[in-house]
Amino acid sequence: MKPSFIPHSDYQAFILHHLRTSYGPGVILINKDWPLAVKLWMADLSAITTLLRDEYSDQGPEPRDPASLFRSYLILLMSNPTMGVTEWVNELKRTPIYAILSGFSPDDLPGVGTFYDFFGRLWPAVDKNLRPILQRKRKGRKKGKKGEKAPTTTPGRVERLVKWMMRHADNQTALPADRLFHFFQSQIVAVSAQFGLLGDLSAISAAGDGTPVVTSAYPRSKPTCDCRARGIADCNHHRLYSQPDCSSGWDSARERYFNGYHLYMISAADSKHDLPLYPRLHPASRHDAVSLVMSTVEFKQRFTLGAVDKMLLDAAHDAESIYLLLEHQGMEPFIDLNVRSKKNITSTTASDIQISPTGIPICPNGNPMKPNGTDYKLHRRKWRCTPACGCSTAKYGRTFYTKTKDDPRLFTKTPRDSEKWKLTYKRRSSIERSNKREKIDYKLESGRHRSTMMWYMRMYGIMIGQHLDAWYASQKDAWDMLKSHICPAIA
Ligand SMILES: [Zn+2]
Ligand SMILES: [Zn+2]
């Protein structure tokens, strides 16, 4: 049978009924659980039943309420993020309040298989991983430097990818995680937007950054041949990988290699709650710059709640093609300079003017010129050298203009030394706080999953938790006032 739609108000009535009347043995709402109860009370997940309707057959017994299963998984992540689903099913038996908040009667609980069956319906692909489990042996690890993110990539690789992406940006390819994103965007992020938690919807600042997600200490693979037994050490036959979407990467914060994913996250930078908007799991070996290119194009194709007009990135993303891509997408790049060379370059517009590695014009006498106003409409900046320098016979000294279109990386639309740049760029650390929250508070890496499907499930569950936390934090006073009304006998 198809699942029947249960309106959120029915769930709320179920909770009220249980909290008010069933203070029988074991059903206690302690103070600590109050925020959890409020978050679930506010979160209307009922649309998931409609979203998944086609995934259920007409025959057979009536399935469990999809919204309650999803809610229960969220409670797992918000209350016991190191638990697996098997343990969680036992926890629901031990702690009836979790069962009730999920929307289940404590004497009628779902089994582990029911949860996994439900997760499968949220993933519209036959394979639970993106890449095939049969792969040829991977190349060895590349060495990383201390403090460096992933092993650096060549600018040429980023440039080729950007060109390809710009040609293909109009044809959106469906991804298996789209169903989760669609639910997340329409039911969760949309509410955060209404609460004003994403900042100004007509000019959203987004920030992007990657972070390692360790899934296991070593990559696990089995041979499909018997070459080793026959004395052939290095054959090129396929191997069976248990986590085909993972690879080895360099974790600069922990200063060691790891096996897993490179999580690239885009968040709302003006939100003081550091709210995540789009997650993308890449193989661990992928560089930030490459991950950004793929993630930002996918994000731009899918995000419909507002206009993202700024993208804030750290110096690992400082490649000229990324500026072009972001401009092409209608976003102004705010990227920290990664000064690789100490040499000045000759200006393309005046042969006697040099440009310093940080984008400051140097006059023919070798003096740095002084900024003399910015034309924000023409994206042009005026520079001047004093008559005292002697490099020009003009009455007010030599003038020179730098234009964004001549070098979008050095001559940014908003000058890097301006107050506006500083104020905007300051918010970039929001993405780091958001990523930390997922890894430290929500114990992202404690998931013991093999499939990319389950890692996305965990990822989206945690992101929903972050949004619910922000809803509660921003409405806390109003909700706490209702505490005694909703739940007179709170322990
Ligand atoms: Zn072999
Ligand atoms: Zn001069």
Side-chain angles (χ1 to χ4, degrees):
M1 270 170 75
K2 301 278 186 194
S4 33
F5 178 81
I6 300 176
H8 190 58
S9 52
D10 284 15
Y11 163 75
Q12 291 175 326
F14 172 90
I15 294 290
L16 271 192
H17 171 77
H18 276 278
L19 291 184
R20 281 182 173 157
T21 62
S22 326
Y23 283 95
V27 184
I28 302 168
L29 184 71
I30 57 168
N31 243 325
K32 182 174 100 43
D33 291 332
W34 168 254
L36 180 69
V38 173
K39 288 169 199 170
L40 296 162
W41 178 274
M42 290 197 276
D44 182 351
L45 306 176
S46 60
I48 205 158
T49 305
T50 320
L51 176 77
L52 295 181
R53 210 183 141 72
D54 290 345
E55 294 295 311
Y56 290 88
S57 86
D58 290 318
Q59 273 94 45
E62 189 177 351
R64 286 270 176 191
D65 171 37
S68 299
L69 286 166
F70 199 49
R71 203 180 286 118
S72 199
Y73 183 57
L74 295 179
I75 300 174
L76 179 167
L77 293 169
M78 291 195 278
S79 65
N80 290 282
T82 57
M83 250 184 208
V85 173
T86 311
E87 275 171 278
W88 179 246
V89 168
N90 291 329
E91 182 67 16
L92 287 175
K93 289 175 197 153
R94 278 195 297 267
T95 319
I97 187 67
Y98 289 154
I100 291 166
L101 289 179
S102 301
F104 301 133
S105 240
D107 52 9
D108 179 26
L109 296 169
V112 181
T114 310
F115 276 97
Y116 280 101
D117 172 82
F118 164 72
F119 294 141
R121 294 176 202 273
L122 273 168
W123 185 259
V126 179
D127 286 326
K128 291 180 167 50
N129 293 295
L130 309 176
R131 304 174 69 199
I133 53 168
L134 274 178
Q135 293 175 25
R136 297 205 191 274
K137 199 175 173 188
R138 300 195 183 121
K139 278 180 264 160
R141 292 160 164 174
K142 285 180 201 149
K143 273 200 185 129
K145 281 184 204 145
K146 189 178 164 181
E148 205 173 276
K149 288 223 142 166
T152 34
T153 184
T154 58
R157 170 133 199 256
V158 178
E159 198 186 325
R160 284 193 301 277
L161 181 64
V162 164
K163 280 190 178 147
W164 192 92
M165 281 290 182
M166 273 158 71
R167 273 203 310 276
H168 294 86
D170 296 337
N171 342 336
Q172 181 174 327
T173 324
L175 298 168
D178 280 352
R179 189 168 283 170
L180 280 163
F181 177 75
H182 173 67
F183 178 77
F184 174 64
Q185 170 164 258
S186 63
Q187 308 302 315
I188 306 294
V189 187
V191 176
S192 297
Q194 279 167 18
F195 281 146
L197 301 176
L198 304 185
D200 176 4
L201 294 178
S202 66
I204 296 178
S205 262
D209 205 7
T211 187
V213 176
V214 181
T215 59
S216 63
Y218 301 100
R220 292 194 190 94
S221 70
K222 280 186 228 147
T224 56
C225 59
D226 61 350
C227 296
R228 185 167 270 266
R230 293 192 286 120
I232 304 164
D234 233 6
C235 74
N236 195 25
H237 290 123
H238 283 98
R239 295 180 69 85
L240 209 58
Y241 283 85
S242 62
Q243 295 184 324
D245 299 332
C246 295
S247 67
S248 278
W250 176 247
D251 183 340
S252 64
R254 297 173 179 128
E255 287 188 32
R256 60 167 192 235
Y257 286 101
F258 72 103
N259 189 62
Y261 298 99
H262 179 70
L263 165 67
Y264 200 93
M265 182 66 84
I266 294 174
S267 75
D270 282 344
S271 139
K272 65 173 178 170
H273 300 281
D274 309 313
L275 291 176
L277 297 177
Y278 188 72
R280 177 67 146 86
L281 294 171
H282 300 267
S285 53
R286 195 165 278 169
H287 188 266
D288 268 347
V290 175
S291 306
L292 172 272
V293 173
M294 301 178 71
S295 306
T296 185
V297 171
E298 289 171 11
F299 170 63
K300 199 69 187 171
Q301 288 168 339
R302 287 162 177 77
F303 185 75
T304 55
L305 299 174
V308 181
D309 73 347
K310 290 181 274 318
M311 181 63 89
L312 285 36
L313 305 167
D314 70 14
H317 302 80
D318 180 29
E320 194 169 346
S321 46
I322 287 181
Y323 293 79
L324 297 174
L325 172 70
L326 294 175
E327 287 287 349
H328 177 80
Q329 293 181 303
M331 295 188 252
E332 184 177 352
F334 285 79
I335 307 175
D336 217 4
L337 264 187
N338 181 4
V339 182
R340 283 156 294 216
S341 151
K342 290 197 171 68
K343 279 190 201 147
N344 294 340
I345 47 165
T346 304
S347 159
T348 50
T349 51
S351 60
D352 59 342
I353 301 274
Q354 299 266 303
I355 306 292
S356 84
T358 53
I360 295 165
I362 312 286
C363 81
N365 282 356
N367 292 321
M369 300 179 81
K370 299 271 179 300
N372 195 242
T374 304
D375 186 332
Y376 284 96
K377 273 209 187 96
L378 291 173
H379 308 309
R380 191 175 79 154
R381 204 170 182 200
K382 191 177 179 187
W383 301 80
R384 188 186 280 283
C385 212
T386 56
C389 168
C391 61
S392 165
T393 52
K395 192 179 170 192
Y396 298 105
R398 178 74 189 256
T399 54
F400 182 70
Y401 293 93
T402 52
K403 290 183 196 125
T404 301
K405 71 172 171 40
D406 291 336
D407 190 333
R409 179 178 165 261
L410 286 180
F411 311 137
T412 46
K413 272 186 190 172
T414 305
R416 278 200 179 82
D417 53 6
S418 65
E419 203 52 36
K420 189 187 168 203
W421 178 284
K422 273 172 213 143
L423 277 174
T424 308
Y425 196 74
K426 198 171 70 176
R427 296 299 312 168
R428 196 205 65 84
S429 51
S430 165
I431 184 68
E432 287 175 0
R433 286 190 295 275
S434 180
N435 286 348
K436 266 200 195 104
R437 193 151 163 64
E438 286 145 19
K439 286 169 80 173
I440 295 168
D441 301 341
Y442 277 100
K443 310 257 185 295
L444 171 61
E445 291 166 304
S446 295
R448 279 152 289 177
H449 312 301
R450 289 239 175 143
S451 67
T452 295
M453 174 189 99
M454 278 313 296
W455 279 105
Y456 267 116
M457 229 41 84
R458 187 171 181 83
M459 201 57 249
Y460 273 102
I462 290 175
M463 290 162 61
I464 291 173
Q466 288 173 276
H467 280 261
L468 300 193
D469 293 344
W471 299 358
Y472 177 63
S474 62
Q475 324 280 321
K476 191 173 177 301
D477 294 345
W479 278 98
D480 283 351
M481 266 168 42
L482 291 174
K483 198 187 253 182
S484 57
H485 167 71
I486 292 174
C487 190
I490 201 160

mmCIF file of all heavy atoms in Angstrom, residues 208-228:
data_model
loop_
_atom_site.group_PDB
_atom_site.id
_atom_site.type_symbol
_atom_site.label_atom_id
_atom_site.label_comp_id
_atom_site.label_asym_id
_atom_site.label_seq_id
_atom_site.Cartn_x
_atom_site.Cartn_y
_atom_site.Cartn_z
ATOM 1 N N GLY A 208 32.321 28.755 0.630
ATOM 2 C CA GLY A 208 32.557 27.348 0.329
ATOM 3 C C GLY A 208 33.896 26.898 0.874
ATOM 4 O O GLY A 208 34.848 27.672 0.902
ATOM 5 N N ASP A 209 33.944 25.669 1.347
ATOM 6 C CA ASP A 209 35.230 25.108 1.758
ATOM 7 C C ASP A 209 35.106 23.599 1.899
ATOM 8 O O ASP A 209 34.023 23.075 2.116
ATOM 9 C CB ASP A 209 35.696 25.713 3.094
ATOM 10 C CG ASP A 209 37.218 25.643 3.247
ATOM 11 O OD1 ASP A 209 37.902 25.258 2.265
ATOM 12 O OD2 ASP A 209 37.722 25.951 4.325
ATOM 13 N N GLY A 210 36.249 22.944 1.779
ATOM 14 C CA GLY A 210 36.277 21.493 1.893
ATOM 15 C C GLY A 210 36.818 21.061 3.236
ATOM 16 O O GLY A 210 37.564 21.799 3.883
ATOM 17 N N THR A 211 36.425 19.861 3.657
ATOM 18 C CA THR A 211 36.945 19.322 4.905
ATOM 19 C C THR A 211 37.017 17.798 4.778
ATOM 20 O O THR A 211 36.167 17.200 4.116
ATOM 21 C CB THR A 211 36.058 19.768 6.095
ATOM 22 O OG1 THR A 211 36.667 19.373 7.312
ATOM 23 C CG2 THR A 211 34.670 19.177 6.025
ATOM 24 N N PRO A 212 38.046 17.184 5.354
ATOM 25 C CA PRO A 212 38.144 15.728 5.222
ATOM 26 C C PRO A 212 37.080 15.006 6.040
ATOM 27 O O PRO A 212 36.724 15.458 7.125
ATOM 28 C CB PRO A 212 39.533 15.410 5.808
ATOM 29 C CG PRO A 212 40.230 16.714 5.943
ATOM 30 C CD PRO A 212 39.178 17.755 6.086
ATOM 31 N N VAL A 213 36.565 13.922 5.508
ATOM 32 C CA VAL A 213 35.677 13.041 6.271
ATOM 33 C C VAL A 213 36.312 11.660 6.258
ATOM 34 O O VAL A 213 36.363 10.996 5.222
ATOM 35 C CB VAL A 213 34.258 12.991 5.656
ATOM 36 C CG1 VAL A 213 33.383 11.990 6.405
ATOM 37 C CG2 VAL A 213 33.624 14.361 5.682
ATOM 38 N N VAL A 214 36.829 11.273 7.420
ATOM 39 C CA VAL A 214 37.526 9.992 7.529
ATOM 40 C C VAL A 214 36.492 8.886 7.674
ATOM 41 O O VAL A 214 35.662 8.921 8.578
ATOM 42 C CB VAL A 214 38.465 10.001 8.756
ATOM 43 C CG1 VAL A 214 39.220 8.683 8.854
ATOM 44 C CG2 VAL A 214 39.429 11.173 8.676
ATOM 45 N N THR A 215 36.521 7.896 6.776
ATOM 46 C CA THR A 215 35.567 6.786 6.892
ATOM 47 C C THR A 215 36.258 5.514 7.384
ATOM 48 O O THR A 215 35.636 4.658 7.969
ATOM 49 C CB THR A 215 34.879 6.488 5.553
ATOM 50 O OG1 THR A 215 35.886 6.151 4.587
ATOM 51 C CG2 THR A 215 34.097 7.696 5.059
ATOM 52 N N SER A 216 37.544 5.373 7.110
ATOM 53 C CA SER A 216 38.293 4.227 7.618
ATOM 54 C C SER A 216 39.769 4.568 7.533
ATOM 55 O O SER A 216 40.170 5.483 6.821
ATOM 56 C CB SER A 216 37.992 2.972 6.804
ATOM 57 O OG SER A 216 38.404 3.160 5.461
ATOM 58 N N ALA A 217 40.584 3.820 8.292
ATOM 59 C CA ALA A 217 42.006 4.143 8.329
ATOM 60 C C ALA A 217 42.677 3.860 6.980
ATOM 61 O O ALA A 217 43.538 4.603 6.533
ATOM 62 C CB ALA A 217 42.689 3.348 9.433
ATOM 63 N N TYR A 218 42.266 2.786 6.330
ATOM 64 C CA TYR A 218 42.882 2.408 5.060
ATOM 65 C C TYR A 218 41.805 2.091 4.036
ATOM 66 O O TYR A 218 40.716 1.673 4.399
ATOM 67 C CB TYR A 218 43.755 1.159 5.252
ATOM 68 C CG TYR A 218 44.835 1.359 6.264
ATOM 69 C CD1 TYR A 218 44.680 0.886 7.568
ATOM 70 C CD2 TYR A 218 45.999 2.054 5.939
ATOM 71 C CE1 TYR A 218 45.667 1.087 8.524
ATOM 72 C CE2 TYR A 218 46.982 2.267 6.880
ATOM 73 C CZ TYR A 218 46.818 1.780 8.169
ATOM 74 O OH TYR A 218 47.777 1.991 9.100
ATOM 75 N N PRO A 219 42.123 2.263 2.753
ATOM 76 C CA PRO A 219 41.157 1.827 1.739
ATOM 77 C C PRO A 219 41.055 0.296 1.765
ATOM 78 O O PRO A 219 42.069 -0.383 1.955
ATOM 79 C CB PRO A 219 41.758 2.322 0.424
ATOM 80 C CG PRO A 219 43.184 2.600 0.701
ATOM 81 C CD PRO A 219 43.335 2.814 2.176
ATOM 82 N N ARG A 220 39.850 -0.218 1.629
ATOM 83 C CA ARG A 220 39.697 -1.666 1.649
ATOM 84 C C ARG A 220 39.364 -2.157 0.246
ATOM 85 O O ARG A 220 38.406 -1.681 -0.365
ATOM 86 C CB ARG A 220 38.589 -2.080 2.615
ATOM 87 C CG ARG A 220 38.947 -1.805 4.053
ATOM 88 C CD ARG A 220 38.007 -2.510 5.007
ATOM 89 N NE ARG A 220 38.241 -2.016 6.360
ATOM 90 C CZ ARG A 220 37.547 -1.031 6.917
ATOM 91 N NH1 ARG A 220 36.579 -0.457 6.245
ATOM 92 N NH2 ARG A 220 37.818 -0.622 8.139
ATOM 93 N N SER A 221 40.171 -3.086 -0.241
ATOM 94 C CA SER A 221 39.870 -3.676 -1.542
ATOM 95 C C SER A 221 40.364 -5.106 -1.576
ATOM 96 O O SER A 221 41.306 -5.473 -0.883
ATOM 97 C CB SER A 221 40.512 -2.862 -2.661
ATOM 98 O OG SER A 221 41.914 -2.997 -2.643
ATOM 99 N N LYS A 222 39.670 -5.911 -2.387
ATOM 100 C CA LYS A 222 40.034 -7.323 -2.541
ATOM 101 C C LYS A 222 40.378 -7.569 -3.995
ATOM 102 O O LYS A 222 39.734 -7.003 -4.886
ATOM 103 C CB LYS A 222 38.838 -8.214 -2.171
ATOM 104 C CG LYS A 222 38.659 -8.412 -0.687
ATOM 105 C CD LYS A 222 37.539 -9.436 -0.472
ATOM 106 C CE LYS A 222 36.560 -8.949 0.556
ATOM 107 N NZ LYS A 222 35.205 -9.341 0.352
ATOM 108 N N PRO A 223 41.348 -8.443 -4.258
ATOM 109 C CA PRO A 223 41.663 -8.756 -5.662
ATOM 110 C C PRO A 223 40.563 -9.606 -6.282
ATOM 111 O O PRO A 223 39.821 -10.284 -5.570
ATOM 112 C CB PRO A 223 42.966 -9.541 -5.555
ATOM 113 C CG PRO A 223 42.964 -10.120 -4.183
ATOM 114 C CD PRO A 223 42.211 -9.169 -3.309
ATOM 115 N N THR A 224 40.445 -9.538 -7.599
ATOM 116 C CA THR A 224 39.495 -10.414 -8.287
ATOM 117 C C THR A 224 40.257 -11.490 -9.062
ATOM 118 O O THR A 224 39.681 -12.219 -9.847
ATOM 119 C CB THR A 224 38.619 -9.621 -9.277
ATOM 120 O OG1 THR A 224 39.502 -8.942 -10.191
ATOM 121 C CG2 THR A 224 37.743 -8.607 -8.584
ATOM 122 N N CYS A 225 41.584 -11.526 -8.874
ATOM 123 C CA CYS A 225 42.390 -12.485 -9.627
ATOM 124 C C CYS A 225 43.295 -13.230 -8.652
ATOM 125 O O CYS A 225 43.308 -12.930 -7.464
ATOM 126 C CB CYS A 225 43.246 -11.745 -10.659
ATOM 127 S SG CYS A 225 44.342 -10.536 -9.866
ATOM 128 N N ASP A 226 44.083 -14.180 -9.140
ATOM 129 C CA ASP A 226 44.980 -14.917 -8.240
ATOM 130 C C ASP A 226 46.444 -14.664 -8.600
ATOM 131 O O ASP A 226 47.313 -15.486 -8.375
ATOM 132 C CB ASP A 226 44.661 -16.415 -8.270
ATOM 133 C CG ASP A 226 44.837 -17.014 -9.662
ATOM 134 O OD1 ASP A 226 45.020 -16.232 -10.629
ATOM 135 O OD2 ASP A 226 44.805 -18.247 -9.790
ATOM 136 N N CYS A 227 46.694 -13.500 -9.198
ATOM 137 C CA CYS A 227 48.051 -13.165 -9.649
ATOM 138 C C CYS A 227 49.061 -13.231 -8.504
ATOM 139 O O CYS A 227 50.165 -13.746 -8.661
ATOM 140 C CB CYS A 227 48.091 -11.772 -10.255
ATOM 141 S SG CYS A 227 47.114 -11.634 -11.739
ATOM 142 N N ARG A 228 48.635 -12.685 -7.346
ATOM 143 C CA ARG A 228 49.562 -12.623 -6.211
ATOM 144 C C ARG A 228 49.993 -14.037 -5.811
ATOM 145 O O ARG A 228 51.178 -14.285 -5.585
ATOM 146 C CB ARG A 228 48.873 -11.914 -5.041
ATOM 147 C CG ARG A 228 49.758 -11.670 -3.854
ATOM 148 C CD ARG A 228 49.098 -10.687 -2.893
ATOM 149 N NE ARG A 228 49.452 -9.318 -3.209
ATOM 150 C CZ ARG A 228 50.460 -8.665 -2.631
ATOM 151 N NH1 ARG A 228 51.203 -9.245 -1.729
ATOM 152 N NH2 ARG A 228 50.736 -7.421 -2.975
#
